[in-house]
Amino acid sequence: MSIPPPIIVSSLDYERLFRLLSTCEYGHPVAPGLEAELERADIFEPPAMPPDVVTMNSTARVQLEGEEPKLLTLVYPRDADGAQNRISVLAPIGAALLGLSAGQRIEWPTPAGMATLKVLEVTRQPEACGDLHR
């Protein structure tokens, strides 16, 4: 397995996600991976977030190895809706997507085995749109 790319997380997302993790049921399969991602992240204040980083409620064009590119929006579990491509941060692909920048790729375990995810572009990021407190 390759070394994971560096990731950036806003201080607001960092705080909210750690609160979410504290309420997760014991044994949630993605929680330990998400916690590890948060622990290795560089933390930025929302106004300082680079516009090409996937933050919570961002929409990005991504590509899983061997599949066509698709638009995904990274959301909190209560807002997840697969039919609308709104992916929970507690889904394997959601936890992998958090904090990546356009052009980065990461290998991530999925129920079917290891998958490679690449962020092609961030098409909407709340911080870049001035929505700093969502």
Side-chain angles (χ1 to χ4, degrees):
M1 180 153 53
S2 62
I3 296 173
I7 64 170
I8 300 170
V9 175
S10 81
S11 59
L12 180 62
D13 288 348
Y14 183 85
E15 291 169 14
R16 288 180 176 171
L17 289 169
F18 264 111
R19 275 197 308 266
L20 173 68
L21 288 172
S22 73
T23 66
C24 280
E25 292 180 24
Y26 177 75
H28 188 286
V30 178
L34 177 58
E35 185 173 358
E37 290 296 281
L38 290 171
E39 288 175 353
R40 74 180 188 87
D42 290 328
I43 310 302
F44 283 43
E45 290 305 312
M49 286 300 294
D52 66 342
V53 173
V54 178
T55 62
M56 293 304 299
N57 299 301
S58 289
T59 300
R61 193 165 61 89
V62 302
Q63 187 167 22
L64 285 166
E65 191 172 30
E67 294 184 15
E68 293 295 315
K70 60 180 131 185
L71 283 176
L72 298 177
T73 300
L74 184 63
V75 298
Y76 292 96
R78 69 181 176 272
D79 300 320
D81 182 346
Q84 294 184 18
N85 291 332
R86 297 174 59 82
I87 304 302
S88 170
V89 70
L90 285 177
I93 192 171
L97 196 54
L98 178 69
L100 292 181
S101 299
Q104 285 185 314
R105 69 178 67 229
I106 190 170
E107 289 182 357
W108 195 261
T110 69
M114 294 301 287
T116 300
L117 171 73
K118 181 175 183 180
V119 177
L120 302 174
E121 68 177 314
V122 176
T123 61
R124 182 186 181 284
Q125 181 205 69
E127 293 83 356
C129 296
D131 188 2
L132 304 178
H133 304 288
R134 59 187 168 35

